[in-house]
Amino acid sequence: QAEAQTLAGKRQAAREKTRIGRQIAVLLTGFADEIAQTTVLDPACGSGNFLYVALRQLLDLEKEVITLSADLDVGRFFPTVSPSQLYGIEINEYAHELAQATIQIGYIQWLRENGFGWPSEPILKEMDTIQRRDAILTFDADGHPVEPEWPQATVVVGNPPFLGGKLLRRELGDVSVDQLFGLYDGRVARESDLCCYWFERARREIERGRLCRAGLLATQGIRGGANRRILDRIKQTGDIFWAQSDREWILEGAAVHVSMVAFGDGTGVDRELDGKMVSQINSDLTGSLDLTTARRLKENLGISFMGDTKGGPFDIPDALAREMLSCPTNPNGRPNSDVIRPWVNARDITGRSRAMWIIDFGTEISEADAAAYEAPFGHLLSSAREARALSRTTRVEWWVHERPRPEMRACLARSPEFIATPRHSKHRLFLLLPAEVLPDSALIAFSVDDAFFFGVLHSRPHELWARRRGSQVREVESGFRYTPTTCFETFPFPWPPGHEPQDDPRVQAIAAAAEDLVEKRDRWLDPPEWTKVEVLEFPGTVGGPWDWFIDPATIVARGDVKLGTVRYPRLVPCDEACAKLLAKRTLTNLYNERPTWLDLANQRLDQAVSAAYGWPAALPDEEILERLLALNLERAGSSTARPSHAR
């Protein structure tokens, strides 16, 4: 009886093992079927590199199932994953042909490397899943622009073409760009990089339920400016679940920096950012405080401006400018100093001033009136006119700058000085410039020149805010892009600009610290032992751009025009030896070295600014940003604003 019971037990165990084996086999077969049914689309596939990698990943995953099935003794089978699961769109004929060969050869290599022999003949099969056409623009039967339909797939991967918004017309032509703008109006900002159109199409496919997930590359600039709006849209209809915010990428032999973004419908996934698990990924590809919710503050509007865009060779060297300035008055009875002024771009701020000048006819002047300034106009005839004719100019008045920024000019004219900072720089530097200087478009100009305002701009809270709200140029060491709308107009000052109580000791402490910083910095840049004051003299119009430098004793009336002698002081090296020494005295070098005296001066300023906010002096960076965001939302009247940490 005992032997019979033992035998029955063994039979029951065998039946149970067989039952479990069948269940495992069904489960593994289901896994294999799911892998074999997964389809991958690269809508800008080029020569097929991403599809090649995707195919190998699918095959490797299926091999794991096959190996486990064999180890569990429930059967072994041949891989069913094949190139037919891959879809691609490519507009270039050569790349389209190459992609098909890349995928087929990659498939054969994998089979041989993993011991599965050769595929059935013909070895190289035609792939009708790789289509040669445009992925973002096509036309209907009536010739109207429409969005081309993408093959339905499980996932989208790819590296869509990088082309900055300002280069679109030059590379694609006006007709195509206008068609794109019209077709994607309200969905992709016109200033966006070309790759954003692929992000939007993938987002829309997910929203329509025709796609599960997408993983695409972009320049790291997708984290800011107009490009980031496409990531905002992705988060509105789904979510980002994986990203590399900044990764070096080799493109045609050059190292660029890219962002890698994976997104879906927002359900059932963990989130990983830069190799770390996070609770959320914001549209600027940060994982903590979401500063993209900050709003523009009315109190900050109309203060910061991008500088003048000249749109041609209007700038002239010092020697030529001085020659023109010293010319006698023109046939219109006016001197050339009416239309010649110092010119500064970012290089003059981060490095040494090059003593450049610019021919500037203002914002509106007729060709006849401009031609009356003989030497300056004659110079532009042989330089700017031809350059403007060959450019994609937006205005026919070639003698006027492309974008002279009349609003900026009107605001800067109210004070004898203005504050400027480079749009792109490694260090966030601010300095005062005299009102006669015309700032270039590579600068952001501020129409407020008081020491309190300057001090807050140069403080740690503003730099932290600007770095997070700006967009990175390339690698972190190259700095970031400062923009008025995102970096300044959203920044909450301790008091709204122009409303700070001048007799408040906290305001006075910031002003004193800022003045001390500027004084020490200027003395380092231009030591009195190496520099001297040079006074330029030339005729100027009373009431004109040089009015504040005209010697009253020299004023004479000539018809309707009053003229006088301009005496314009400027610092120059004492001699050639001093010039060589001064060449190394730049703001970039100073902040790279960051001597102790500079650190102490900045610390004093930071402490004064923290006191004005009512904060402790040594808050962590993230807490400073959290408090600034709360103050921004409070000032903007947001219903979601938390109580302010500031006064």
Side-chain angles (χ1 to χ4, degrees):
Q1 186 177 1
E3 288 177 359
Q5 289 175 347
T6 299
L7 182 59
K10 288 181 178 181
R11 287 173 178 170
Q12 179 63 30
R15 285 194 295 270
E16 182 65 15
K17 181 179 179 180
T18 300
R19 185 184 66 81
I20 293 174
R22 287 172 179 167
Q23 290 179 341
I24 292 174
V26 169
L27 187 62
L28 292 177
T29 301
F31 287 161
D33 288 344
E34 186 173 348
I35 296 168
Q37 292 170 15
T38 297
T39 52
V40 181
L41 167 65
D42 184 346
C45 68
S47 57
N49 290 337
F50 274 62
L51 292 175
Y52 164 79
V53 172
L55 177 63
R56 293 189 68 95
Q57 292 287 328
L58 288 171
L59 286 164
D60 287 343
L61 190 58
E62 187 179 28
K63 183 184 176 184
E64 288 186 36
V65 176
I66 294 171
T67 302
L68 180 59
S69 180
D71 291 344
L72 295 175
D73 199 25
V74 294
R76 183 179 176 85
F77 53 90
F78 192 83
T80 55
V81 168
S82 73
S84 63
Q85 295 171 235
L86 307 181
Y87 294 86
I89 302 174
E90 175 53 45
I91 197 168
N92 179 272
E93 181 179 6
Y94 177 74
H96 169 256
E97 295 295 328
L98 187 59
Q100 299 176 67
T102 298
I103 294 166
Q104 291 285 349
I105 293 172
Y107 178 60
I108 295 168
Q109 287 177 331
W110 188 92
L111 292 178
R112 293 194 62 194
E113 290 168 3
N114 290 273
F116 290 102
W118 296 86
S120 59
E121 293 188 0
I123 297 297
L124 291 180
K125 301 177 177 64
E126 272 196 51
M127 293 187 64
D128 57 5
T129 57
I130 309 298
Q131 303 171 6
R132 183 172 171 243
R133 58 181 176 87
D134 195 310
I136 59 173
L137 176 66
T138 190
F139 302 91
D140 62 18
D142 298 321
H144 299 134
V146 294
E147 293 181 50
E149 196 72 18
W150 283 7
Q152 188 166 355
T154 312
V155 296
V156 157
V157 296
N159 178 16
F162 304 158
L163 186 62
K166 293 183 179 179
L167 301 177
L168 291 180
R169 291 189 179 277
R170 189 183 74 182
E171 298 296 326
L172 304 180
D174 289 337
V175 174
S176 293
V177 171
D178 289 338
Q179 290 167 341
L180 270 180
F181 285 173
L183 190 57
Y184 292 87
D185 186 39
R187 295 162 56 197
V188 180
R190 297 191 174 196
E191 305 86 359
S192 298
D193 191 291
L194 184 62
C195 70
C196 291
Y197 291 88
W198 274 260
F199 276 79
E200 165 58 21
R201 283 303 314 274
R203 182 209 65 80
R204 188 183 181 200
E205 293 293 291
I206 292 171
E207 186 181 32
R208 294 169 62 192
R210 299 185 74 251
L211 181 67
C212 294
R213 296 179 180 178
L216 298 170
L217 265 71
T219 63
Q220 53 79 31
I222 200 167
R223 296 180 288 163
N227 292 328
R228 199 193 68 223
R229 295 178 205 167
I230 198 62
L231 299 187
D232 290 336
R233 284 181 60 79
I234 286 171
K235 288 188 66 66
Q236 289 167 6
T237 59
D239 206 2
I240 301 168
F241 64 84
W242 183 94
Q244 288 280 339
S245 63
D246 183 4
R247 176 170 177 159
E248 190 172 78
W249 191 265
I250 305 300
L251 181 66
E252 296 179 353
V256 298
H257 283 251
V258 302
S259 295
M260 306 170 72
V261 186
F263 51 97
D265 63 7
T267 59
V269 291
D270 295 324
R271 290 163 180 79
E272 180 182 317
L273 174 66
D274 297 330
K276 298 178 181 178
M277 302 306 296
V278 293
S279 59
Q280 64 179 4
I281 300 177
N282 305 319
S283 61
D284 60 354
L285 301 190
T286 59
S288 52
L289 190 66
D290 188 4
L291 293 189
T292 65
T293 60
R295 297 168 62 181
R296 296 170 70 188
L297 302 175
K298 291 181 179 179
E299 62 208 43
N300 288 21
L301 303 181
I303 295 175
S304 60
F305 305 89
M306 182 187 294
D308 172 275
T309 301
K310 52 191 174 65
F314 289 82
D315 50 305
I316 55 177
D318 187 54
L320 179 57
R322 295 175 65 174
E323 179 184 329
M324 290 184 182
L325 289 169
S326 63
C327 288
T329 53
N330 292 288
N332 62 358
R334 307 182 73 93
N336 288 332
S337 60
D338 283 0
V339 297
I340 296 176
R341 58 192 296 189
W343 175 72
V344 171
N345 68 6
R347 178 181 171 187
D348 296 294
I349 288 181
T350 59
R352 297 291 302 182
S353 171
R354 297 165 296 152
M356 294 293 289
W357 301 69
I358 193 163
I359 299 172
D360 174 36
F361 286 111
T363 61
E364 298 292 338
I365 186 173
S366 68
E367 185 173 10
D369 288 341
Y373 294 93
E374 190 173 2
F377 189 83
H379 178 78
L380 296 184
L381 278 173
S382 59
S383 58
R385 181 168 66 170
E386 181 179 353
R388 187 68 72 81
L390 297 174
S391 71
R392 305 191 64 85
T393 184
T394 57
R395 62 184 306 160
V396 297
E397 301 90 350
W398 59 266
W399 57 93
V400 177
H401 295 179
E402 179 75 16
R403 292 184 179 87
R405 309 278 195 268
E407 297 85 359
M408 175 200 72
R409 291 167 181 257
C411 288
L412 298 188
R414 299 169 187 165
S415 304
E417 292 182 310
F418 64 92
I419 298 171
T421 189
R423 285 173 60 205
H424 307 159
S425 66
K426 177 180 179 181
H427 305 289
R428 189 43 44 197
L429 307 168
F430 296 85
L431 75 163
L432 287 164
L433 293 175
E436 70 271 14
V437 169
L438 182 67
D440 180 66
S441 60
L443 300 179
I444 302 299
F446 302 85
S447 59
V448 180
D449 66 344
D450 66 74
F452 166 79
F453 186 86
F454 181 95
V456 176
L457 285 182
H458 229 306
S459 69
R460 179 177 168 225
H462 181 253
E463 178 163 3
L464 289 173
W465 183 268
R467 285 190 177 275
R468 279 285 297 271
R469 294 287 293 155
S471 55
Q472 191 174 309
V473 180
R474 293 184 298 278
E475 69 282 357
V476 174
E477 292 73 18
S478 292
F480 69 101
R481 182 179 292 104
Y482 189 100
T483 57
T485 52
T486 59
C487 298
F488 176 75
E489 291 178 358
T490 61
F491 178 73
F493 280 70
W495 294 270
H499 293 80
E500 62 276 2
Q502 295 298 321
D503 57 350
D504 192 302
R506 292 168 294 183
V507 174
Q508 295 168 356
I510 292 174
E515 289 167 351
D516 178 63
L517 171 64
V518 172
E519 181 182 348
K520 289 176 177 175
R521 202 172 64 179
D522 287 350
R523 195 179 298 123
W524 183 88
L525 289 168
D526 295 299
E529 298 83 0
W530 296 353
T531 57
K532 63 182 180 181
V533 176
E534 174 187 71
V535 179
L536 302 183
E537 294 189 0
F538 47 86
T541 304
V542 175
W546 296 94
D547 194 32
W548 51 91
F549 294 111
I550 292 178
D551 183 349
T554 65
I555 295 176
V556 295
R558 294 184 182 176
D560 296 334
V561 180
K562 287 185 178 181
L563 300 176
T565 299
V566 174
R567 305 192 194 281
Y568 178 54
R570 62 179 186 175
L571 279 180
V572 295
C574 290
D575 51 37
E576 287 298 324
C578 290
K580 291 181 180 179
L581 294 171
L582 287 169
K584 297 179 181 178
R585 296 278 178 127
T586 69
L587 281 176
T588 295
N589 288 342
L590 174 61
Y591 278 84
N592 281 341
E593 296 168 9
R594 207 168 182 90
T596 302
W597 66 261
L598 181 63
D599 259 341
L600 293 175
N602 277 286
Q603 287 174 25
R604 177 189 172 192
L605 177 60
D606 291 340
Q607 289 167 2
V609 172
S610 293
Y613 279 109
W615 301 342
L619 288 175
D621 291 354
E622 205 65 16
E623 188 169 348
I624 290 175
L625 292 171
E626 181 181 354
R627 294 183 180 211
L628 287 172
L629 178 60
L631 186 55
N632 166 277
L633 296 175
E634 181 181 292
R635 291 259 182 90
S638 171
S639 60
T640 60
R642 293 169 291 176
S644 171
H645 292 267
R647 303 168 0 279

